[in-house]
Amino acid sequence: MIDELDLAFDEHADRTRPRHRRGRGGKKGSGKSGVAFLMAFILLAVLGGGVYFGYSKVKDFFVAADYSGEGTDPVQVTIAKNSTLTEIGNTLVDSDVVKSTKAFVNAAGENPRGKNIQSGTYKLRKQMAAKSAVTLLLDPKSRITSGVTITEGQTSMQIYATLSKATNIPVKDFQAAAKKPVEDLGVPDYWFKRRDNKPAATGSIEGFLFPDTYEFDPKLNAEQILKVMVDRFLTVTGDMQFADNVQNNLSVSPYEALIVASLSQAEAGVPKDLPKISRVAYNRAYKANMPLEFDVTANYWLELNGKGAKHSGKLTAAEIDDPKNPYNTKSKRGLPLGPIDNPGQAALQGAMQPAAGNWLYFVAIDKAGNSIFTNDYAQHQKNITQACKNGVPLC
């Protein structure tokens, strides 16, 4: 049987020759050749599979994971202001819009307008090809929010009205959300400390709603929106090292400097005068120990009581020197109870680094809003006369 099997491998075997078992000293048998061939084949297959598996892994490492197609379920995604492409990609991965940040960054890099993606909230779809996601993010029709601009010097009441119009959230919701700035909105309690031993407006958010253009997620409520603005204030003042610089260089508290920033923001007609007006406020409040006599504080009290602000020349003596007004700077010495508006970065910078000077008085000298400064009262009166001649509505 074995000889027959051996011969079966060779169609030309001479069947007339005697058949016998091959010993160890004979030629290598074809059976062992077959086994060797089979083993070699298996080995190559295993090696080949390993090479393929390794190639697949390497390929996956270099080729970013990506979905295909236009996506599935709709989803809203908010892109934060000043986000990098990597940060946008991370946001999209978190919302399962794209499969990997790398795929998104690559797709944005291949698009000529890929770096023009704006902040805001977008209507996208889950599990989109990165290229499709980039296309939608560049399509204005996909954007469902527009910027809400809060200008420098707006009071909290004015800001609530602006936000309400943009979001359809009632003003009363913003008023309610702002009642506890520390507990609910994240204003650190040290911001309400004063070094002049005067009380602080601890229940007021005034001064902490940073003026900027915001892209609010439509799902945010009033409290969350105000938190975004407070966070922006803390970021800006943190980057400026506002608190440290004020305490180390001016020997006043950050809150007092914030009050000064709000006063100069309201009084200045042009940005270049902000540091000078801040210096006047510091000089009068701390060096001369005299009332500030800033009419803008009377207007703030009128607004708090639901009355319209007036031009300085139209304020009555009773309104300017209302004894019930905690923001009164006509007869009360030093800084008022708290900020009277929400100053911008330039005003904060001016309060942090006021101009050098011994000025105690200033007045708008022309219709362009430029002010003139002096430390002499008689000269100040002459400046007022000149301002009236220049058509400034003071007289």
Side-chain angles (χ1 to χ4, degrees), residues 298-336:
N299 265 322
Y300 183 65
W301 181 241
L302 289 176
E303 189 173 350
L304 282 179
N305 287 277
K307 301 176 183 178
K310 297 181 179 180
H311 191 279
S312 296
K314 295 185 177 180
L315 287 167
T316 67
E319 290 169 335
I320 292 175
D321 195 13
D322 183 350
K324 296 181 181 179
N325 178 8
Y327 295 87
N328 182 328
T329 58
K330 177 64 177 178
S331 56
K332 295 182 180 180
R333 300 176 187 274
L335 298 180

Side-chain angles (χ1 to χ4, degrees), residues 75-84 87-95 97 117-124 137 142-146 214-220 228:
V75 62
Q76 290 184 8
V77 178
T78 299
I79 305 301
K81 189 173 183 178
N82 299 322
S83 293
T84 64
E87 290 169 337
I88 295 173
N90 291 339
T91 299
L92 297 178
V93 169
D94 290 342
S95 299
V97 172
I117 296 172
Q118 303 296 310
S119 58
T121 300
Y122 292 84
K123 293 182 290 185
L124 304 173
L137 287 169
S142 299
R143 201 158 173 257
I144 59 176
T145 60
S146 57
Y214 293 90
E215 299 284 351
F216 294 117
D217 188 323
K219 297 187 289 293
L220 297 184
V228 170

Side-chain angles (χ1 to χ4, degrees), residues 146-189:
S146 57
V148 180
T149 299
I150 305 300
T151 57
E152 293 89 347
Q154 279 191 304
T155 65
S156 58
M157 292 79 78
Q158 293 167 341
I159 289 174
Y160 300 155
T162 301
L163 294 175
S164 179
K165 184 177 180 180
T167 65
N168 292 321
I169 297 174
V171 168
K172 64 177 182 173
D173 288 9
F174 290 104
Q175 293 172 330
K179 287 183 177 180
K180 296 180 179 179
V182 174
E183 297 89 338
D184 296 339
L185 300 180
V187 178
D189 59 1

Side-chain angles (χ1 to χ4, degrees), residues 172-243:
K172 64 177 182 173
D173 288 9
F174 290 104
Q175 293 172 330
K179 287 183 177 180
K180 296 180 179 179
V182 174
E183 297 89 338
D184 296 339
L185 300 180
V187 178
D189 59 1
Y190 74 79
W191 272 100
F192 290 101
K193 308 295 184 184
R194 297 182 66 148
R195 290 186 176 183
D196 59 1
N197 298 317
K198 298 185 74 172
T202 54
S204 173
I205 194 61
E206 203 73 76
F208 299 101
L209 301 176
F210 190 76
D212 203 345
T213 296
Y214 293 90
E215 299 284 351
F216 294 117
D217 188 323
K219 297 187 289 293
L220 297 184
N221 59 30
E223 181 178 309
Q224 292 168 325
I225 287 173
L226 296 184
K227 276 185 178 180
V228 170
M229 300 181 71
V230 169
D231 286 346
R232 180 70 177 137
F233 169 85
L234 296 175
T235 297
V236 171
T237 53
D239 290 343
M240 296 171 63
Q241 296 184 306
F242 183 86

Side-chain angles (χ1 to χ4, degrees), residues 230-269:
V230 169
D231 286 346
R232 180 70 177 137
F233 169 85
L234 296 175
T235 297
V236 171
T237 53
D239 290 343
M240 296 171 63
Q241 296 184 306
F242 183 86
D244 289 341
N245 284 323
V246 164
Q247 293 178 109
N248 295 335
N249 300 326
L250 300 177
S251 298
V252 302
S253 71
Y255 190 66
E256 290 163 77
L258 179 60
I259 294 173
V260 169
S262 74
L263 293 170
S264 62
Q265 184 75 78
E267 288 280 2

Side-chain angles (χ1 to χ4, degrees), residues 37-55:
F37 174 78
L38 181 61
M39 292 299 293
F41 178 80
I42 293 172
L43 180 61
L44 287 172
V46 170
L47 290 174
V51 170
Y52 177 78
F53 178 77
Y55 167 75

